[in-house]
Amino acid sequence: DTAVSQTPKYLVTQMGNDKSIKCEQNLGHDTMYWYKQDSKKFLKIMFSYNNKELIINETVPNRFSPKSPDKAHLNLHINSLELGDSAVYFCASSQDTRQGEAFFGQGTRLTVV
Amino acid sequence: GESVGLHLPTLSVQEGDNSIINCAYSNSASDYFIWYKQESGKGPQFIIDIRSNMDKRQGQRVTVLLNKTVKHLSLQIAATQPGDSAVYFCAEGSMEYGNKLVFGAGTILRVKS
């Protein structure tokens, strides 16, 4: 009964490919997020959705596109992958838009070769 | 482990001692502050938060202190245990900036048995 689950846990792919990371939360939360953590452990928000509506969209290349089919799911599509996209991507959710007690998933380690 | 090669501040403490992890934040308009713990291979986990109108808050074995004058936040862990070994992040949030959380760089806590 994992609260926030992401798939896959590991993803190794070649430059130029298109890939997706899926996220689901079973907490009944209204808000979901995508974060990127680089090799120096620096954690930065990318996107935030509240009830399927985009509310935070940081300066992220438009190769990254989040999609929220319903409020329990927030998937991340990445087109034309580049070496610099290699990182750990975390999905998270919270009850409201205040990211107070956000619950994080286990992360997806993306390696672009 | 994952910390090899990372140039994050590291705090090494003996099991049973108290730990103090410090954080300097940047936005004097931040409304709340949160401490997260990230164990190896896992997502960040909420520990404790504090609103900007408070200067101290206590949880189970943890205390957060906020000094708005010098924009400084600290996390005190009492009777540190091996299971406390992790990377600790402070984060600041502001309603003015859409409740977007901004994370600090992280501190590695190593507990020696």
Side-chain angles (χ1 to χ4, degrees), chain A residues 37 39 41 88 109, chain B residues 1-6 38-42 87 108:
Chain A
Q37 188 171 47
S39 59
K41 290 286 192 182
V88 181
R109 183 174 292 277
Chain B
E2 277 191 16
S3 61
V4 173
L6 276 178
Q38 186 177 18
E39 296 175 87
S40 180
K42 296 185 178 180
V87 179
I108 299 171

Side-chain angles (χ1 to χ4, degrees), chain B residues 24-54:
Chain B
Y25 64 92
S26 56
N27 184 4
S28 56
S30 290
D31 300 307
Y32 55 94
F33 305 86
I34 304 174
W35 280 100
Y36 285 93
K37 171 187 181 184
Q38 186 177 18
E39 296 175 87
S40 180
K42 296 185 178 180
Q45 179 185 7
F46 172 92
I47 302 173
I48 191 168
D49 64 354
I50 187 168
R51 292 184 182 270
S52 60
N53 61 355
M54 302 169 68

Side-chain angles (χ1 to χ4, degrees), chain B residues 6-95:
Chain B
L6 276 178
H7 297 289
L8 295 178
T10 300
L11 176 66
S12 292
V13 298
Q14 196 67 37
E15 182 180 358
D17 288 350
N18 296 335
S19 304
I20 300 177
I21 301 171
N22 297 303
C23 174
Y25 64 92
S26 56
N27 184 4
S28 56
S30 290
D31 300 307
Y32 55 94
F33 305 86
I34 304 174
W35 280 100
Y36 285 93
K37 171 187 181 184
Q38 186 177 18
E39 296 175 87
S40 180
K42 296 185 178 180
Q45 179 185 7
F46 172 92
I47 302 173
I48 191 168
D49 64 354
I50 187 168
R51 292 184 182 270
S52 60
N53 61 355
M54 302 169 68
D55 53 23
K56 181 179 180 178
R57 189 163 187 225
Q58 288 184 292
Q60 188 178 15
R61 275 200 315 119
V62 294
T63 300
V64 56
L65 298 178
L66 174 62
N67 185 332
K68 292 184 288 293
T69 303
V70 295
K71 291 193 282 189
H72 182 268
L73 193 67
S74 68
L75 177 70
Q76 301 177 3
I77 304 174
T80 313
Q81 302 168 0
D84 295 328
S85 293
V87 179
Y88 288 80
F89 294 94
C90 66
E92 55 182 313
S94 167
M95 290 179 62

Side-chain angles (χ1 to χ4, degrees), chain A residues 9 35 37 39-45 55-56 58 90 97-107 109, chain B residues 2 6 8 32 34 36 38 41-46 49 51 87 89 97-101 103-105:
Chain A
K9 189 172 171 63
Y35 286 85
Q37 188 171 47
S39 59
K40 293 181 172 58
K41 290 286 192 182
F42 184 65
L43 197 61
K44 192 172 191 298
I45 191 167
I55 57 171
I56 292 177
E58 285 299 285
F90 287 101
T97 56
R98 181 178 176 279
Q99 298 170 47
E101 296 187 27
F103 286 80
F104 282 76
Q106 295 284 304
R109 183 174 292 277
Chain B
E2 277 191 16
L6 276 178
L8 295 178
Y32 55 94
I34 304 174
Y36 285 93
Q38 186 177 18
K42 296 185 178 180
Q45 179 185 7
F46 172 92
D49 64 354
R51 292 184 182 270
V87 179
F89 294 94
Y97 293 99
N99 286 312
K100 183 182 67 176
L101 273 184
F103 283 79

